[in-house]
Amino acid sequence: MDLDDEGSNFELKEIQTLSGHTDRVWSLAWNPATGTDDAQPVIASCSGDKTVRIWERSALTRSWDCKAVLEETHTRTVRSCTWSPSGKLLATASFDATTAIWENVGGDFQCVSTLEGHENEVKSVSWNASESLLATCSRDKTVWIWEVMPGNEFECASVLQGHTQDVKMVKWHPTMDILFSCSYDNTIKVWAEDDTGDWHCIQTIGESSNGHSSTVWAISFNAGGDKMVTCSDDLTLKVWEADIEGMRSGNDQVLWKHLSTLSGYHDRTIFSVHWSREGIIASGAADDAIRFFVESKDSVVDGPSYRLLLKKEKAHDMDVNVVQWSPGQENRVMASASDDGTIKIWELATSSN
Amino acid sequence: MVSGLINANPVVYEKKERRQRPASIPDADEYSAEAIDQLEVFDHVRDIKDPEHPYSLEELKVISEDAIEVDDRRSYVSCFRVTFTPTVEHCSMATVIGLCLRVKLMRSLPSRYKVDIRVAPGTHATEAAVNKQLNDKERIAAALENPNLVDMVDECLAPSYA
């Protein structure tokens, strides 16, 4: 496979730049139900301009257009957006301390619910795989778990305390109802439900467990769900692994262990990291660059190590805030967004020599 | 006597002589290949008013030209590091001063410039905590959506726009 061949040359080809937002773009999400033969790819993006934009690629021209601007709902920066696994709902998290839920009703996006409760800025929102739970996190140091009820009703199931600072991101495990959060307090926390339905922290990954030494900005899982990668202000990416079979059998004692630290590759804060289903780790950083890493087949002794596949300098004119691989049929297509107010669609291709 | 001010009697220093500059339109620098130097960065911040006293950051020696460093390790990214010295070790205005520096430079320098702000090592009791906040752009962005804070910052920045 070309990823294993260290002689292969890769290049990141720019497909299109999506402009429209009038302030920095903080995040974006590919609609998971699109990018197939029947459904053209769709992306949602959110910005400091308080709006969310929906972009769709035209089947005819293969060019991306802005299909909708979701405005007049959030009163401050929209920090994060994520589609439900079925692609039917979009959740948006805002500095205005609310999380809005949107539904596409005949081409029109309507806000069908507003989740209130956090004391200040909501930073991230995540749906679990079965779409039965939603998690949000905030600068108020808490993580909230919401139950999704019929009729677009959401009920707060738990308010999780434990982080000692601003919580930057929450992410559900891809297959199990285990929740992960990362924070300005430099730790990653793992949360699970016990037999009595109470949620609690089953693991805290801090500096003493080979964890990060500064703010952890993002978490991403590999396709199998047995590894995760985190990125930080400490300029490293860290890869973690866990015994997936043990987790599946409901063993609460299963711990995530440090596998590898990728250091020396970034010299400014890494804001985003995303693991593709093929195993390519993409990172977006404050030096305007996007980097790609793959597992190196070299070292077998201490376990897998990772090597830099490609570094794209000046991917944007300003900080890269988010990188997200497309879930669609097309391979190695990725989107990024930046403080420069744009979203870029890319294709990671092998360059012809 | 309780004056309410953190530092009621700051030491006021003389201002450094100003270099003559040709008048330039701010946006003209956006695409110019000419690099911005330390003195130019200093010129943008020297007249910022201290939040508590009717003196500039330069006059109080909170900021000086030497405390601005160019980091040119990478050819594709231009960075500045600005170090400021609060007048007192327990200065709770440190984050406000840092925020003022950040906002002024954000508004004055072309967007391709990265700025790192920190307090001079050893000059503040909670140095690490202050530095972390001042360099977390998400926290800065949220803070700048607070109108009261923006008003306070704008008041400090007013004299620096001349």
Side-chain angles (χ1 to χ4, degrees):
Chain A
M1 176 157 77
D2 59 353
L3 295 177
D4 294 335
D5 174 11
E6 300 202 12
S8 281
N9 283 323
F10 285 87
E11 61 174 325
L12 191 63
K13 287 164 130 168
E14 195 176 315
I15 308 291
Q16 194 176 342
T17 297
L18 311 182
S19 305
H21 278 297
T22 56
D23 201 311
R24 69 190 351 148
V25 183
W26 280 110
S27 195
L28 62 88
W30 294 82
N31 185 316
T34 64
T36 62
D37 288 334
D38 307 315
Q40 289 303 304
V42 169
I43 285 175
S45 62
C46 57
S47 164
D49 66 12
K50 308 176 200 169
T51 74
V52 175
R53 279 176 179 253
I54 310 294
W55 313 81
E56 191 174 330
R57 195 183 71 189
S58 152
L60 202 61
T61 65
R62 302 280 289 187
S63 171
W64 289 83
D65 301 303
C66 180
K67 289 315 227 185
V69 180
L70 279 45
E71 53 196 342
E72 268 145 52
T73 295
H74 285 302
T75 55
R76 286 183 57 181
T77 286
V78 188
R79 176 62 182 89
S80 166
C81 56
T82 180
W83 298 92
S84 62
S86 64
K88 295 200 182 87
L89 297 174
L90 177 70
T92 58
S94 168
F95 283 1
D96 66 11
T98 72
T99 303
I101 310 293
W102 307 78
E103 192 172 357
N104 187 345
V105 183
D108 236 347
F109 278 84
Q110 287 172 16
C111 176
V112 296
S113 191
T114 302
L115 278 47
E116 292 173 350
H118 279 296
E119 282 171 22
N120 48 49
E121 301 92 57
V122 188
K123 307 285 175 100
S124 172
V125 55
S126 177
W127 299 85
N128 71 341
S130 62
E131 222 160 306
S132 60
L133 300 169
L134 195 65
T136 57
C137 65
S138 157
R139 178 169 64 87
D140 68 11
K141 308 172 196 163
T142 66
V143 170
W144 287 48
I145 294 183
W146 308 79
E147 262 165 38
V148 185
M149 319 283 271
N152 292 324
E153 290 290 311
F154 294 79
E155 211 173 83
C156 174
S158 193
V159 175
L160 307 175
Q161 297 180 317
H163 278 297
T164 56
Q165 294 273 7
D166 181 10
V167 189
K168 298 298 197 185
M169 188 191 204
V170 277
K171 195 108 179 85
W172 287 98
H173 185 270
T175 55
M176 287 179 266
D177 283 349
I178 300 177
L179 183 65
F180 295 73
S181 60
C182 60
S183 162
Y184 185 100
D185 68 12
N186 309 348
T187 71
I188 298 145
K189 280 183 182 284
V190 187
W191 312 85
E193 200 179 7
D194 63 21
D195 299 325
T196 65
D198 283 328
W199 287 87
H200 52 270
C201 178
I202 59 172
Q203 191 183 356
T204 297
I205 303 171
E207 261 174 281
S208 52
S209 354
N210 243 312
H212 289 289
S213 54
S214 191
T215 301
V216 188
W217 282 97
I219 301 167
S220 177
F221 292 92
N222 68 346
D226 63 321
K227 291 199 182 73
M228 73 175 173
V229 60
T230 54
C231 64
S232 166
D233 177 61
D234 70 5
L235 315 181
T236 71
L237 295 181
K238 283 179 185 278
V239 182
W240 311 85
E241 72 171 350
D243 166 22
I244 190 107
E245 285 316 313
M247 273 160 54
R248 251 187 227 125
S249 56
N251 182 359
D252 241 21
Q253 306 309 313
V254 171
L255 294 177
W256 287 79
K257 289 198 270 284
H258 175 265
L259 191 62
S260 183
T261 292
L262 283 64
S263 56
Y265 298 101
H266 299 82
D267 43 23
R268 291 194 70 80
T269 305
I270 312 157
F271 289 116
S272 177
V273 68
H274 197 219
W275 213 324
S276 80
R277 55 179 185 273
E278 256 191 309
I280 308 172
I281 295 171
S283 74
D287 64 353
D288 314 347
I290 295 172
R291 294 167 174 80
F292 299 91
F293 300 87
V294 288
E295 204 174 293
S296 169
K297 295 307 178 192
D298 279 347
S299 95
V300 174
V301 183
D302 294 323
S305 68
Y306 295 81
R307 67 181 179 93
L308 178 72
L309 189 72
L310 176 68
K311 172 184 173 187
K312 178 75 176 179
E313 288 177 8
K314 280 275 151 236
H316 281 273
D317 293 335
M318 291 173 77
D319 291 10
V320 180
N321 293 323
V322 64
V323 286
Q324 284 284 295
W325 292 100
S326 159
Q329 285 169 348
E330 279 156 14
N331 224 4
R332 303 186 184 169
V333 169
M334 202 198 72
S336 62
S338 161
D339 278 356
D340 67 14
T342 69
I343 294 146
K344 289 192 181 191
I345 313 292
W346 310 87
E347 187 189 330
L348 181 65
T350 33
S351 53
S352 40
N353 266 331
Chain B
M1 178 187 88
V2 177
S3 68
L5 293 179
I6 302 292
N7 182 7
N9 296 301
V11 179
V12 183
Y13 300 83
E14 265 176 38
K15 284 193 264 214
K16 185 180 158 151
E17 165 193 313
R18 279 151 206 256
R19 183 169 83 188
Q20 284 293 76
R21 299 194 150 268
S24 65
I25 309 147
D27 281 332
D29 275 337
E30 190 72 51
Y31 302 106
S32 89
E34 199 190 289
I36 289 183
D37 64 7
Q38 283 165 276
L39 184 56
E40 190 169 340
V41 174
F42 181 57
D43 278 345
H44 285 304
V45 300
R46 68 200 299 177
D47 294 322
I48 294 174
K49 189 186 90 65
D50 179 272
E52 286 195 311
H53 310 99
Y55 295 106
S56 73
L57 296 185
E58 177 182 15
E59 286 168 320
L60 296 174
K61 270 221 159 108
V62 169
I63 187 84
S64 69
E65 191 187 339
D66 301 322
I68 296 168
E69 302 163 88
V70 177
D71 175 355
D72 51 13
R73 279 173 298 161
R74 275 164 266 97
S75 59
Y76 63 97
V77 173
S78 319
C79 305
F80 280 106
R81 184 160 73 170
V82 177
T83 304
F84 71 99
T85 307
T87 54
V88 234
E89 219 183 81
H90 294 274
C91 181
S92 60
M93 284 290 146
T95 27
V96 178
I97 294 171
L99 194 57
C100 287
L101 289 167
R102 207 168 254 306
V103 174
K104 185 69 205 305
L105 292 175
M106 216 161 68
R107 290 177 185 168
S108 315
L109 297 177
S111 56
R112 69 175 188 275
Y113 284 95
K114 311 285 181 188
V115 179
D116 291 327
I117 301 186
R118 59 170 195 167
V119 292
T123 66
H124 195 273
T126 61
E127 168 180 326
V130 172
N131 288 343
K132 196 171 184 181
Q133 268 199 80
L134 291 176
N135 293 294
D136 180 320
K137 77 173 186 202
E138 188 188 68
R139 294 288 282 263
I140 299 288
L144 294 177
E145 289 185 350
N146 173 341
N148 293 330
L149 194 47
V150 174
D151 282 347
M152 196 198 291
V153 168
D154 280 338
E155 222 186 275
C156 295
L157 298 192
S160 74
Y161 287 108

